[in-house]
Amino acid sequence: MLTIGKRDKETLLDPLFRAGRGFYALIGVLIVIMGWGLFMYIRQIVLGLGVTGMDRPAYWGIYMVNFIFFIGISHAGTLISAILRVTQAEWRRPITRIAEAITAFALVVGTLQIFFDLGRPDRVLYLFWYGRLQSPLLWDAVSVTAYFLGSLTYLYLPIIPDVALLRDNLPADAPAWRERLYAIMALGWRGNRTQWIRLEKTIAVMAVLIIPVAISVHTVISWILATTVQPGWHSTVFGPYFVVGAIFSGIGALFIAMTLARRVMHLEAYITDRQYRNLGYIFITMSAIWFYFTYAEYMTLAAGQGAAEFPILASKLWGAFSPGFWAMVLAMVVAFVVLVFPLILPNSWRKYRIFNPRFTLASAVAFGLAMLLLQVPETEDALAGLSLGLSPIALKIIALVAGVLFIVSILPWLKRHLIDAMVIASGLVLIGMWLERWNIIVPTMVSPRLAPSSWYTPTLTEWSLFAASIALFIFMFALFFKVVPAVSVWEVREGRVIDHVHSQEIMPMPEPSLPARGAMRRSLEETEPTY
């Protein structure tokens, strides 16, 4: 019988067999949202894709945006957990299972977007019956399928020792279905030396193999766009650009998921500031790389002045799609500031008046009021006394200055609340990365090379399926972590042993590189030549 320490059992195993009213309320709300989405999907199948905003020539819309977005955040598990495991980063242990779960569930939700986009779900079989090897669409189907199967395997293997622990430490009142489930999932695990050696080798092999598969998935997705001659897509940088964006958004999703698990399941003793700081450094690095690729992509379009390319770029910079583009830029800039600036802010600066809470409140009110007057012109008459007859340009300047002052004024608070800062930055990154996918897909679709321009606006059907997709993602998370521990028990225990061994090591002092002064004098006297 496998045993487990009292603290680990009370924190990691026992909560799996308890569920409060909050859990059931969450599940109920998610089921309602998913039920509404299912109804709208059946309605779309019956009435056709005409209930969506897609039409000639904009055949791709929010469904394709969601497909690229969810496949992107699936890289959290593979390229974070696998790479950190290969590089033997010991601090990764408490967050590996959450990262690997994100991969599996995001792939499920992302693949569903293809079925939504096809209209008739049976058409997905045409890809395999009539698919051409020259088409990146077939490559995408093969790579996503391989990635999904590999990710499920990579998620399941580290679960085996933990479900064996659950099998041998079930409460007396545990339901019979759990006993049968854990017995099946444990695969006869007894924790002997042979089983451990085989498991470690298999996980190591899977960690190495899954990395190129993950990179190929988002590279092939980018090639679906880049191998066409559509303006705005025909770019050689799309492959690495999409991979970087996928890792970037995946880390953001991981931050939010691990924070929710930490607070809801009371895992503060396992997921500590160490994980947030180390993962934050990777987050900052990926943020800088993303800015580099974004600037390179749009700079080449602007400098090229192509007859078909430049109108689409203009629509993003100052045209119809400019709100979404600049919202993306703003979200990413603010996220970078939230990540970096608190780290370099000296503690002595807190005494300045700009960091006073009243100043923060005043700048927030000024920013909100200016944005209200800009976005809702009808309120200008009612607030004429406050607007003072300012022009739209002046209001934009006021909003910009107030927004900057607000962000600067909360930097000391962000410095004191590391986890909250990471969550805020992660939320902004996820919003920004979804807008990035929108800015890539939609402006090109409505302005193709060989057809007249059109417009695309998502309908209630598309937004309903988007909400249902997010609800399904959360639903799978909630149920999964009621069956298996959110933190890998055996990996954490192994990490404690490694840390203990390292703490017992005594580093020897280095040997002196030069002999002592007296020995040196004697050595020189002995070697002095005589005449």
Side-chain angles (χ1 to χ4, degrees), residues 244 248 251 278-292 336 339-340:
V244 167
F248 192 26
I251 297 175
N278 293 337
L279 198 58
Y281 296 142
I282 303 176
F283 204 24
I284 293 171
T285 303
M286 299 312 301
S287 176
I289 297 174
W290 180 88
F291 274 110
Y292 167 75
F336 186 79
L339 287 170
V340 176

Side-chain angles (χ1 to χ4, degrees), residues 388-415:
L388 302 176
L390 296 174
S391 65
I393 296 179
L395 287 174
K396 290 179 181 178
I397 295 175
I398 292 175
L400 177 62
V401 173
V404 171
L405 292 176
F406 171 75
I407 295 173
V408 171
S409 64
I410 64 172
L411 289 180
W413 184 87
L414 295 173
K415 188 179 181 70

Side-chain angles (χ1 to χ4, degrees), residues 2 189-201:
L2 302 177
W189 179 269
R190 294 302 172 189
N192 56 53
R193 178 179 175 81
T194 302
Q195 289 179 333
W196 277 115
I197 292 174
R198 291 175 178 174
L199 180 68
E200 292 281 4
K201 287 183 177 180

